[in-house]
Amino acid sequence: MQSRLLSLAEAVANVTIGFIVALLTQMTLFPVLGLRLPMDRHLLIGTVFTLVSLVRGYMLRRLFARYGHGGG
């Protein structure tokens, strides 16, 4: 079983790496699509999608915790 500290470190690493990958992806893809945005807008978009991803991940984790092991 994973310790709470290691779980926290994993979650932080996952979110940080996901944010960086998303930011680099949109900075590469947007110009190909004809979208030119300043860096502050890229950061805002990346932040919003990161927050949405965090909420989604939390809700799925709770759903699986409730129903994933035959409890409930």
Short mmCIF file of all heavy atoms in Angstrom, two decimals:
data_model
loop_
_atom_site.label_atom_id
_atom_site.label_comp_id
_atom_site.label_asym_id
_atom_site.label_seq_id
_atom_site.Cartn_x
_atom_site.Cartn_y
_atom_site.Cartn_z
N MET A 1 0.83 -1.18 0.00
CA MET A 1 0.00 0.00 0.00
C MET A 1 0.89 1.25 0.00
O MET A 1 1.90 1.30 0.68
CB MET A 1 -0.92 -0.01 1.22
CG MET A 1 -1.86 1.13 1.29
SD MET A 1 -3.05 0.82 2.61
CE MET A 1 -4.36 1.83 2.09
N GLN A 2 0.48 2.26 -0.75
CA GLN A 2 1.25 3.49 -0.91
C GLN A 2 1.00 4.43 0.27
O GLN A 2 -0.14 4.60 0.72
CB GLN A 2 0.82 4.14 -2.22
CG GLN A 2 1.73 5.23 -2.70
CD GLN A 2 1.28 5.78 -4.05
OE1 GLN A 2 0.16 6.23 -4.17
NE2 GLN A 2 2.15 5.70 -5.04
N SER A 3 2.07 5.05 0.78
CA SER A 3 1.91 6.00 1.87
C SER A 3 1.21 7.26 1.37
O SER A 3 1.18 7.55 0.17
CB SER A 3 3.27 6.38 2.45
OG SER A 3 3.98 7.20 1.54
N ARG A 4 0.65 8.03 2.29
CA ARG A 4 -0.03 9.28 1.92
C ARG A 4 0.94 10.26 1.27
O ARG A 4 0.59 10.94 0.32
CB ARG A 4 -0.68 9.91 3.15
CG ARG A 4 -1.87 9.14 3.63
CD ARG A 4 -2.45 9.77 4.87
NE ARG A 4 -3.44 8.87 5.45
CZ ARG A 4 -4.62 9.24 5.86
NH1 ARG A 4 -4.97 10.50 5.79
NH2 ARG A 4 -5.46 8.37 6.36
N LEU A 5 2.15 10.32 1.80
CA LEU A 5 3.15 11.24 1.25
C LEU A 5 3.52 10.85 -0.17
O LEU A 5 3.62 11.71 -1.06
CB LEU A 5 4.39 11.26 2.15
CG LEU A 5 5.47 12.27 1.77
CD1 LEU A 5 4.90 13.69 1.78
CD2 LEU A 5 6.64 12.16 2.72
N LEU A 6 3.70 9.56 -0.41
CA LEU A 6 4.02 9.10 -1.76
C LEU A 6 2.84 9.31 -2.70
O LEU A 6 3.02 9.68 -3.86
CB LEU A 6 4.44 7.63 -1.73
CG LEU A 6 5.09 7.09 -3.01
CD1 LEU A 6 6.29 7.93 -3.40
CD2 LEU A 6 5.50 5.65 -2.81
N SER A 7 1.63 9.12 -2.21
CA SER A 7 0.44 9.39 -3.02
C SER A 7 0.37 10.86 -3.40
O SER A 7 0.05 11.21 -4.54
CB SER A 7 -0.84 9.02 -2.26
OG SER A 7 -0.93 7.62 -2.09
N LEU A 8 0.68 11.74 -2.46
CA LEU A 8 0.69 13.17 -2.73
C LEU A 8 1.76 13.51 -3.76
O LEU A 8 1.50 14.27 -4.71
CB LEU A 8 0.91 13.96 -1.44
CG LEU A 8 1.03 15.47 -1.60
CD1 LEU A 8 -0.26 16.06 -2.16
CD2 LEU A 8 1.38 16.11 -0.26
N ALA A 9 2.94 12.95 -3.60
CA ALA A 9 4.03 13.20 -4.55
C ALA A 9 3.65 12.73 -5.95
O ALA A 9 3.92 13.41 -6.95
CB ALA A 9 5.31 12.50 -4.08
N GLU A 10 3.00 11.58 -6.04
CA GLU A 10 2.56 11.06 -7.33
C GLU A 10 1.52 11.99 -7.96
O GLU A 10 1.60 12.30 -9.15
CB GLU A 10 1.96 9.66 -7.17
CG GLU A 10 1.46 9.08 -8.47
CD GLU A 10 0.75 7.75 -8.29
OE1 GLU A 10 0.95 7.08 -7.27
OE2 GLU A 10 0.00 7.37 -9.20
N ALA A 11 0.58 12.44 -7.17
CA ALA A 11 -0.47 13.33 -7.68
C ALA A 11 0.12 14.65 -8.17
O ALA A 11 -0.25 15.15 -9.25
CB ALA A 11 -1.52 13.58 -6.61
N VAL A 12 1.03 15.22 -7.41
CA VAL A 12 1.67 16.48 -7.81
C VAL A 12 2.48 16.29 -9.08
O VAL A 12 2.41 17.12 -10.00
CB VAL A 12 2.55 17.04 -6.66
CG1 VAL A 12 3.43 18.18 -7.14
CG2 VAL A 12 1.68 17.48 -5.49
N ALA A 13 3.23 15.21 -9.16
CA ALA A 13 4.01 14.93 -10.37
C ALA A 13 3.10 14.74 -11.58
O ALA A 13 3.37 15.27 -12.67
CB ALA A 13 4.88 13.68 -10.17
N ASN A 14 2.01 14.02 -11.40
CA ASN A 14 1.07 13.77 -12.48
C ASN A 14 0.47 15.07 -13.01
O ASN A 14 0.42 15.32 -14.21
CB ASN A 14 -0.03 12.83 -12.00
CG ASN A 14 -0.97 12.43 -13.11
OD1 ASN A 14 -0.61 12.39 -14.28
ND2 ASN A 14 -2.21 12.15 -12.75
N VAL A 15 0.03 15.93 -12.10
CA VAL A 15 -0.59 17.20 -12.49
C VAL A 15 0.45 18.13 -13.14
O VAL A 15 0.18 18.76 -14.16
CB VAL A 15 -1.24 17.88 -11.27
CG1 VAL A 15 -1.64 19.31 -11.58
CG2 VAL A 15 -2.45 17.08 -10.82
N THR A 16 1.64 18.19 -12.57
CA THR A 16 2.69 19.05 -13.11
C THR A 16 3.09 18.62 -14.51
O THR A 16 3.16 19.45 -15.43
CB THR A 16 3.92 19.05 -12.18
OG1 THR A 16 3.51 19.49 -10.88
CG2 THR A 16 5.01 19.95 -12.71
N ILE A 17 3.34 17.35 -14.69
CA ILE A 17 3.73 16.84 -16.01
C ILE A 17 2.58 17.00 -17.00
O ILE A 17 2.80 17.41 -18.15
CB ILE A 17 4.20 15.38 -15.91
CG1 ILE A 17 5.52 15.32 -15.14
CG2 ILE A 17 4.34 14.75 -17.29
CD1 ILE A 17 5.94 13.94 -14.73
N GLY A 18 1.36 16.74 -16.56
CA GLY A 18 0.20 16.92 -17.43
C GLY A 18 0.05 18.36 -17.89
O GLY A 18 -0.25 18.63 -19.05
N PHE A 19 0.26 19.32 -16.98
CA PHE A 19 0.17 20.74 -17.31
C PHE A 19 1.23 21.11 -18.35
O PHE A 19 0.93 21.78 -19.34
CB PHE A 19 0.33 21.58 -16.05
CG PHE A 19 0.31 23.06 -16.32
CD1 PHE A 19 -0.88 23.72 -16.57
CD2 PHE A 19 1.49 23.80 -16.33
CE1 PHE A 19 -0.90 25.08 -16.81
CE2 PHE A 19 1.47 25.16 -16.58
CZ PHE A 19 0.27 25.81 -16.81
N ILE A 20 2.44 20.67 -18.15
CA ILE A 20 3.54 20.98 -19.08
C ILE A 20 3.27 20.37 -20.45
O ILE A 20 3.44 21.04 -21.48
CB ILE A 20 4.89 20.51 -18.51
CG1 ILE A 20 5.24 21.36 -17.28
CG2 ILE A 20 6.00 20.59 -19.56
CD1 ILE A 20 6.39 20.82 -16.45
N VAL A 21 2.83 19.12 -20.48
CA VAL A 21 2.52 18.46 -21.77
C VAL A 21 1.39 19.19 -22.48
O VAL A 21 1.47 19.45 -23.69
CB VAL A 21 2.18 16.97 -21.54
CG1 VAL A 21 1.60 16.35 -22.80
CG2 VAL A 21 3.42 16.21 -21.10
N ALA A 22 0.34 19.56 -21.74
CA ALA A 22 -0.78 20.27 -22.35
C ALA A 22 -0.34 21.62 -22.89
O ALA A 22 -0.71 22.01 -24.01
CB ALA A 22 -1.91 20.44 -21.32
N LEU A 23 0.45 22.34 -22.13
CA LEU A 23 0.93 23.65 -22.55
C LEU A 23 1.77 23.55 -23.81
O LEU A 23 1.56 24.30 -24.78
CB LEU A 23 1.73 24.28 -21.40
CG LEU A 23 2.08 25.75 -21.53
CD1 LEU A 23 0.81 26.60 -21.59
CD2 LEU A 23 2.93 26.18 -20.34
N LEU A 24 2.70 22.63 -23.83
CA LEU A 24 3.54 22.45 -25.02
C LEU A 24 2.73 22.00 -26.23
O LEU A 24 2.98 22.44 -27.35
CB LEU A 24 4.67 21.45 -24.73
CG LEU A 24 5.71 21.91 -23.72
CD1 LEU A 24 6.69 20.78 -23.41
CD2 LEU A 24 6.45 23.14 -24.22
N THR A 25 1.74 21.15 -25.99
CA THR A 25 0.89 20.68 -27.08
C THR A 25 0.10 21.83 -27.69
O THR A 25 0.06 22.00 -28.90
CB THR A 25 -0.08 19.58 -26.58
OG1 THR A 25 0.69 18.49 -26.06
CG2 THR A 25 -0.98 19.10 -27.70
N GLN A 26 -0.54 22.64 -26.85
CA GLN A 26 -1.33 23.74 -27.40
C GLN A 26 -0.45 24.79 -28.04
O GLN A 26 -0.82 25.38 -29.07
CB GLN A 26 -2.28 24.33 -26.36
CG GLN A 26 -1.64 25.16 -25.30
CD GLN A 26 -2.61 25.51 -24.19
OE1 GLN A 26 -3.44 24.71 -23.78
NE2 GLN A 26 -2.49 26.71 -23.67
N MET A 27 0.74 25.03 -27.51
CA MET A 27 1.64 26.00 -28.11
C MET A 27 2.16 25.53 -29.47
O MET A 27 2.50 26.35 -30.32
CB MET A 27 2.81 26.30 -27.17
CG MET A 27 2.39 27.09 -25.94
SD MET A 27 3.70 27.30 -24.73
CE MET A 27 4.83 28.32 -25.65
N THR A 28 2.18 24.23 -29.68
CA THR A 28 2.58 23.67 -30.96
C THR A 28 1.40 23.57 -31.92
O THR A 28 1.51 23.91 -33.10
CB THR A 28 3.18 22.25 -30.75
OG1 THR A 28 4.29 22.35 -29.86
CG2 THR A 28 3.64 21.65 -32.06
N LEU A 29 0.26 23.14 -31.42
CA LEU A 29 -0.91 22.90 -32.26
C LEU A 29 -1.65 24.17 -32.67
O LEU A 29 -2.09 24.29 -33.82
CB LEU A 29 -1.87 21.95 -31.54
CG LEU A 29 -3.13 21.55 -32.29
CD1 LEU A 29 -2.79 20.82 -33.58
CD2 LEU A 29 -4.03 20.71 -31.41
N PHE A 30 -1.80 25.10 -31.75
CA PHE A 30 -2.58 26.30 -32.05
C PHE A 30 -2.08 27.05 -33.29
O PHE A 30 -2.88 27.41 -34.15
CB PHE A 30 -2.63 27.23 -30.84
CG PHE A 30 -3.61 26.80 -29.77
CD1 PHE A 30 -4.13 25.51 -29.72
CD2 PHE A 30 -3.99 27.68 -28.79
CE1 PHE A 30 -5.02 25.13 -28.74
CE2 PHE A 30 -4.89 27.32 -27.80
CZ PHE A 30 -5.40 26.04 -27.77
N PRO A 31 -0.78 27.31 -33.43
CA PRO A 31 -0.31 28.00 -34.64
C PRO A 31 -0.60 27.22 -35.93
O PRO A 31 -0.90 27.81 -36.96
CB PRO A 31 1.19 28.14 -34.42
CG PRO A 31 1.36 28.10 -32.94
CD PRO A 31 0.30 27.15 -32.46
N VAL A 32 -0.55 25.89 -35.86
CA VAL A 32 -0.88 25.06 -37.01
C VAL A 32 -2.33 25.29 -37.42
O VAL A 32 -2.68 25.27 -38.61
CB VAL A 32 -0.62 23.57 -36.71
CG1 VAL A 32 -1.13 22.68 -37.82
CG2 VAL A 32 0.87 23.33 -36.46
N LEU A 33 -3.19 25.56 -36.44
CA LEU A 33 -4.60 25.81 -36.69
C LEU A 33 -4.90 27.28 -36.97
O LEU A 33 -6.05 27.68 -37.11
CB LEU A 33 -5.43 25.34 -35.49
CG LEU A 33 -5.33 23.85 -35.16
CD1 LEU A 33 -6.08 23.54 -33.86
CD2 LEU A 33 -5.86 23.00 -36.30
N GLY A 34 -3.86 28.10 -37.02
CA GLY A 34 -4.04 29.51 -37.29
C GLY A 34 -4.37 30.35 -36.08
O GLY A 34 -4.83 31.48 -36.20
N LEU A 35 -4.17 29.80 -34.88
CA LEU A 35 -4.46 30.52 -33.64
C LEU A 35 -3.16 31.03 -33.04
O LEU A 35 -2.27 30.24 -32.72
CB LEU A 35 -5.17 29.61 -32.63
CG LEU A 35 -6.49 29.00 -33.10
CD1 LEU A 35 -6.95 27.93 -32.13
CD2 LEU A 35 -7.55 30.09 -33.24
N ARG A 36 -3.05 32.31 -32.88
CA ARG A 36 -1.86 32.92 -32.27
C ARG A 36 -2.28 33.56 -30.96
O ARG A 36 -3.11 34.46 -30.94
CB ARG A 36 -1.27 33.96 -33.20
CG ARG A 36 -1.01 33.45 -34.59
CD ARG A 36 0.46 33.21 -34.82
NE ARG A 36 0.67 32.78 -36.20
CZ ARG A 36 1.17 31.61 -36.53
NH1 ARG A 36 1.49 30.75 -35.58
NH2 ARG A 36 1.35 31.27 -37.77
N LEU A 37 -1.73 33.07 -29.87
CA LEU A 37 -2.09 33.59 -28.54
C LEU A 37 -0.83 33.99 -27.78
O LEU A 37 0.21 33.34 -27.91
CB LEU A 37 -2.83 32.53 -27.73
CG LEU A 37 -4.17 32.04 -28.26
CD1 LEU A 37 -4.69 30.91 -27.39
CD2 LEU A 37 -5.17 33.17 -28.33
N PRO A 38 -0.95 35.02 -26.93
CA PRO A 38 0.18 35.35 -26.06
C PRO A 38 0.33 34.29 -24.97
O PRO A 38 -0.59 33.53 -24.68
CB PRO A 38 -0.20 36.71 -25.46
CG PRO A 38 -1.68 36.82 -25.63
CD PRO A 38 -2.06 35.95 -26.80
N MET A 39 1.50 34.28 -24.36
CA MET A 39 1.82 33.26 -23.35
C MET A 39 0.83 33.27 -22.19
O MET A 39 0.46 32.20 -21.69
CB MET A 39 3.24 33.47 -22.84
CG MET A 39 3.71 32.38 -21.94
SD MET A 39 3.70 30.81 -22.84
CE MET A 39 4.57 29.79 -21.70
N ASP A 40 0.37 34.44 -21.76
CA ASP A 40 -0.57 34.47 -20.62
C ASP A 40 -1.86 33.74 -20.94
O ASP A 40 -2.46 33.11 -20.07
CB ASP A 40 -0.83 35.89 -20.14
CG ASP A 40 -1.58 36.75 -21.16
OD1 ASP A 40 -1.34 36.60 -22.37
OD2 ASP A 40 -2.38 37.59 -20.72
N ARG A 41 -2.30 33.77 -22.19
CA ARG A 41 -3.51 33.05 -22.60
C ARG A 41 -3.26 31.54 -22.64
O ARG A 41 -4.13 30.76 -22.26
CB ARG A 41 -4.01 33.53 -23.96
CG ARG A 41 -4.46 34.95 -23.96
CD ARG A 41 -5.62 35.11 -23.01
NE ARG A 41 -6.01 36.51 -22.97
CZ ARG A 41 -7.00 36.98 -22.27
NH1 ARG A 41 -7.71 36.18 -21.52
NH2 ARG A 41 -7.29 38.25 -22.27
N HIS A 42 -2.09 31.15 -23.09
CA HIS A 42 -1.74 29.72 -23.06
C HIS A 42 -1.74 29.21 -21.63
O HIS A 42 -2.25 28.12 -21.34
CB HIS A 42 -0.36 29.48 -23.70
CG HIS A 42 -0.36 29.46 -25.18
ND1 HIS A 42 -1.00 28.48 -25.91
CD2 HIS A 42 0.20 30.29 -26.09
CE1 HIS A 42 -0.82 28.70 -27.20
NE2 HIS A 42 -0.10 29.81 -27.34
N LEU A 43 -1.17 30.00 -20.72
CA LEU A 43 -1.13 29.60 -19.31
C LEU A 43 -2.54 29.52 -18.72
O LEU A 43 -2.84 28.59 -17.96
CB LEU A 43 -0.27 30.57 -18.51
CG LEU A 43 1.23 30.52 -18.80
CD1 LEU A 43 1.94 31.68 -18.14
CD2 LEU A 43 1.82 29.20 -18.36
N LEU A 44 -3.41 30.47 -19.07
CA LEU A 44 -4.78 30.45 -18.58
C LEU A 44 -5.52 29.21 -19.08
O LEU A 44 -6.16 28.50 -18.30
CB LEU A 44 -5.52 31.71 -19.02
CG LEU A 44 -7.01 31.77 -18.63
CD1 LEU A 44 -7.18 31.75 -17.12
CD2 LEU A 44 -7.66 33.01 -19.25
N ILE A 45 -5.42 28.93 -20.37
CA ILE A 45 -6.08 27.76 -20.94
C ILE A 45 -5.55 26.48 -20.29
O ILE A 45 -6.32 25.60 -19.89
CB ILE A 45 -5.90 27.71 -22.47
CG1 ILE A 45 -6.67 28.86 -23.12
CG2 ILE A 45 -6.35 26.37 -23.04
CD1 ILE A 45 -6.31 29.09 -24.58
N GLY A 46 -4.24 26.37 -20.15
CA GLY A 46 -3.65 25.19 -19.52
C GLY A 46 -4.10 25.02 -18.09
O GLY A 46 -4.37 23.90 -17.64
N THR A 47 -4.21 26.14 -17.37
CA THR A 47 -4.65 26.09 -15.98
C THR A 47 -6.10 25.62 -15.87
O THR A 47 -6.43 24.77 -15.03
CB THR A 47 -4.48 27.47 -15.31
OG1 THR A 47 -3.09 27.83 -15.35
CG2 THR A 47 -4.98 27.47 -13.88
N VAL A 48 -6.96 26.17 -16.72
CA VAL A 48 -8.38 25.77 -16.69
C VAL A 48 -8.52 24.28 -16.97
O VAL A 48 -9.21 23.56 -16.25
CB VAL A 48 -9.21 26.62 -17.68
CG1 VAL A 48 -10.60 26.03 -17.86
CG2 VAL A 48 -9.29 28.06 -17.21
N PHE A 49 -7.85 23.80 -18.02
CA PHE A 49 -7.97 22.38 -18.35
C PHE A 49 -7.34 21.50 -17.28
O PHE A 49 -7.82 20.39 -17.02
CB PHE A 49 -7.37 22.08 -19.73
CG PHE A 49 -8.32 22.41 -20.85
CD1 PHE A 49 -8.11 23.50 -21.66
CD2 PHE A 49 -9.44 21.62 -21.07
CE1 PHE A 49 -8.99 23.81 -22.68
CE2 PHE A 49 -10.32 21.91 -22.09
CZ PHE A 49 -10.10 23.01 -22.90
N THR A 50 -6.30 21.98 -16.63
CA THR A 50 -5.70 21.22 -15.53
C THR A 50 -6.66 21.11 -14.36
O THR A 50 -6.82 20.03 -13.77
CB THR A 50 -4.38 21.88 -15.08
OG1 THR A 50 -3.46 21.85 -16.18
CG2 THR A 50 -3.77 21.16 -13.90
N LEU A 51 -7.34 22.20 -14.02
CA LEU A 51 -8.32 22.15 -12.94
C LEU A 51 -9.49 21.23 -13.27
O LEU A 51 -9.94 20.45 -12.42
CB LEU A 51 -8.83 23.56 -12.63
CG LEU A 51 -7.80 24.50 -12.00
CD1 LEU A 51 -8.36 25.92 -11.90
CD2 LEU A 51 -7.33 23.99 -10.66
N VAL A 52 -9.96 21.28 -14.51
CA VAL A 52 -11.03 20.37 -14.95
C VAL A 52 -10.56 18.92 -14.82
O VAL A 52 -11.29 18.05 -14.35
CB VAL A 52 -11.48 20.69 -16.39
CG1 VAL A 52 -12.38 19.60 -16.95
CG2 VAL A 52 -12.18 22.04 -16.43
N SER A 53 -9.33 18.66 -15.22
CA SER A 53 -8.78 17.31 -15.13
C SER A 53 -8.68 16.84 -13.68
O SER A 53 -8.97 15.68 -13.37
CB SER A 53 -7.40 17.28 -15.79
OG SER A 53 -6.84 16.00 -15.69
N LEU A 54 -8.27 17.73 -12.78
CA LEU A 54 -8.19 17.38 -11.36
C LEU A 54 -9.55 16.99 -10.80
O LEU A 54 -9.69 15.98 -10.10
CB LEU A 54 -7.63 18.54 -10.55
CG LEU A 54 -6.13 18.72 -10.58
CD1 LEU A 54 -5.75 20.07 -9.98
CD2 LEU A 54 -5.45 17.60 -9.84
N VAL A 55 -10.56 17.79 -11.11
CA VAL A 55 -11.92 17.50 -10.63
C VAL A 55 -12.41 16.19 -11.21
O VAL A 55 -12.96 15.35 -10.50
CB VAL A 55 -12.88 18.66 -10.97
CG1 VAL A 55 -14.31 18.28 -10.68
CG2 VAL A 55 -12.48 19.91 -10.20
N ARG A 56 -12.21 15.99 -12.51
CA ARG A 56 -12.62 14.74 -13.16
C ARG A 56 -11.93 13.54 -12.51
O ARG A 56 -12.57 12.54 -12.18
CB ARG A 56 -12.28 14.78 -14.65
CG ARG A 56 -12.75 13.55 -15.41
CD ARG A 56 -11.93 13.32 -16.69
NE ARG A 56 -10.58 12.95 -16.33
CZ ARG A 56 -9.49 13.46 -16.89
NH1 ARG A 56 -9.57 14.36 -17.82
NH2 ARG A 56 -8.31 13.07 -16.51
N GLY A 57 -10.62 13.65 -12.30
CA GLY A 57 -9.88 12.55 -11.70
C GLY A 57 -10.35 12.23 -10.29
O GLY A 57 -10.48 11.07 -9.91
N TYR A 58 -10.63 13.28 -9.51
CA TYR A 58 -11.11 13.08 -8.15
C TYR A 58 -12.47 12.40 -8.16
O TYR A 58 -12.71 11.45 -7.41
CB TYR A 58 -11.19 14.42 -7.42
CG TYR A 58 -11.78 14.29 -6.05
CD1 TYR A 58 -11.02 13.82 -4.99
CD2 TYR A 58 -13.11 14.61 -5.80
CE1 TYR A 58 -11.55 13.68 -3.72
CE2 TYR A 58 -13.66 14.47 -4.54
CZ TYR A 58 -12.89 14.02 -3.51
OH TYR A 58 -13.43 13.88 -2.26
N MET A 59 -13.37 12.89 -9.01
CA MET A 59 -14.72 12.31 -9.05
C MET A 59 -14.68 10.84 -9.50
O MET A 59 -15.39 10.01 -8.93
CB MET A 59 -15.61 13.14 -9.97
CG MET A 59 -15.90 14.51 -9.38
SD MET A 59 -16.83 15.58 -10.46
CE MET A 59 -18.44 14.82 -10.34
N LEU A 60 -13.87 10.53 -10.48
CA LEU A 60 -13.75 9.14 -10.92
C LEU A 60 -13.15 8.26 -9.82
O LEU A 60 -13.60 7.14 -9.60
CB LEU A 60 -12.89 9.04 -12.18
CG LEU A 60 -13.59 9.35 -13.47
CD1 LEU A 60 -12.59 9.41 -14.62
CD2 LEU A 60 -14.66 8.31 -13.77
N ARG A 61 -12.16 8.79 -9.13
CA ARG A 61 -11.53 8.02 -8.04
C ARG A 61 -12.55 7.71 -6.95
O ARG A 61 -12.61 6.60 -6.43
CB ARG A 61 -10.35 8.79 -7.46
CG ARG A 61 -9.59 8.02 -6.40
CD ARG A 61 -8.34 8.75 -6.03
NE ARG A 61 -7.42 8.78 -7.14
CZ ARG A 61 -6.23 8.18 -7.15
NH1 ARG A 61 -5.82 7.53 -6.09
NH2 ARG A 61 -5.46 8.25 -8.19
N ARG A 62 -13.36 8.70 -6.59
CA ARG A 62 -14.39 8.49 -5.57
C ARG A 62 -15.46 7.52 -6.05
O ARG A 62 -15.94 6.69 -5.29
CB ARG A 62 -15.04 9.83 -5.16
CG ARG A 62 -14.09 10.84 -4.53
CD ARG A 62 -13.17 10.30 -3.45
NE ARG A 62 -13.88 9.54 -2.43
CZ ARG A 62 -13.38 8.52 -1.76
NH1 ARG A 62 -12.12 8.15 -1.94
NH2 ARG A 62 -14.10 7.88 -0.88
N LEU A 63 -15.84 7.61 -7.33
CA LEU A 63 -16.82 6.71 -7.90
C LEU A 63 -16.31 5.26 -7.87
O LEU A 63 -17.02 4.36 -7.46
CB LEU A 63 -17.13 7.13 -9.35
CG LEU A 63 -18.25 6.35 -10.05
CD1 LEU A 63 -19.59 6.68 -9.42
CD2 LEU A 63 -18.26 6.70 -11.53
N PHE A 64 -15.06 5.08 -8.25
CA PHE A 64 -14.49 3.73 -8.23
C PHE A 64 -14.31 3.25 -6.80
O PHE A 64 -14.47 2.06 -6.52
CB PHE A 64 -13.15 3.70 -8.97
CG PHE A 64 -13.30 3.45 -10.44
CD1 PHE A 64 -13.64 4.48 -11.30
CD2 PHE A 64 -13.12 2.18 -10.96
CE1 PHE A 64 -13.79 4.26 -12.65
CE2 PHE A 64 -13.27 1.94 -12.32
CZ PHE A 64 -13.61 2.98 -13.16
N ALA A 65 -13.98 4.16 -5.87
CA ALA A 65 -13.84 3.75 -4.47
C ALA A 65 -15.19 3.28 -3.92
O ALA A 65 -15.25 2.35 -3.13
CB ALA A 65 -13.31 4.92 -3.64
N ARG A 66 -16.25 3.92 -4.37
CA ARG A 66 -17.57 3.57 -3.87
C ARG A 66 -18.11 2.29 -4.52
O ARG A 66 -18.66 1.43 -3.85
CB ARG A 66 -18.57 4.70 -4.12
CG ARG A 66 -19.98 4.34 -3.69
CD ARG A 66 -20.92 5.48 -3.82
NE ARG A 66 -20.66 6.39 -2.72
CZ ARG A 66 -21.39 7.46 -2.46
NH1 ARG A 66 -22.39 7.78 -3.24
NH2 ARG A 66 -21.11 8.23 -1.44
N TYR A 67 -17.99 2.17 -5.83
CA TYR A 67 -18.62 1.08 -6.54
C TYR A 67 -17.65 0.06 -7.14
O TYR A 67 -18.05 -0.99 -7.58
CB TYR A 67 -19.50 1.62 -7.69
CG TYR A 67 -20.59 2.52 -7.19
CD1 TYR A 67 -20.55 3.88 -7.45
CD2 TYR A 67 -21.65 2.01 -6.46
CE1 TYR A 67 -21.56 4.72 -6.99
CE2 TYR A 67 -22.66 2.84 -6.00
CZ TYR A 67 -22.60 4.20 -6.28
OH TYR A 67 -23.59 5.01 -5.82
N GLY A 68 -16.37 0.38 -7.16
CA GLY A 68 -15.41 -0.47 -7.83
C GLY A 68 -15.05 -1.74 -7.10
O GLY A 68 -14.54 -2.67 -7.69
N HIS A 69 -15.33 -1.84 -5.82
CA HIS A 69 -14.95 -3.02 -5.05
C HIS A 69 -16.15 -3.77 -4.52
O HIS A 69 -16.08 -4.44 -3.48
CB HIS A 69 -14.02 -2.63 -3.90
CG HIS A 69 -12.76 -2.00 -4.35
ND1 HIS A 69 -11.77 -2.69 -4.99
CD2 HIS A 69 -12.32 -0.70 -4.29
CE1 HIS A 69 -10.78 -1.87 -5.28
NE2 HIS A 69 -11.09 -0.66 -4.87
N GLY A 70 -17.25 -3.63 -5.20
CA GLY A 70 -18.47 -4.36 -4.80
C GLY A 70 -19.16 -3.77 -3.59
O GLY A 70 -20.09 -4.36 -3.07
N GLY A 71 -18.69 -2.60 -3.15
CA GLY A 71 -19.35 -1.98 -1.98
C GLY A 71 -20.35 -0.92 -2.42
O GLY A 71 -19.99 0.08 -2.97
N GLY A 72 -21.62 -1.16 -2.18
CA GLY A 72 -22.59 -0.13 -2.49
C GLY A 72 -23.53 -0.49 -3.51
O GLY A 72 -24.27 -1.00 -4.03
#
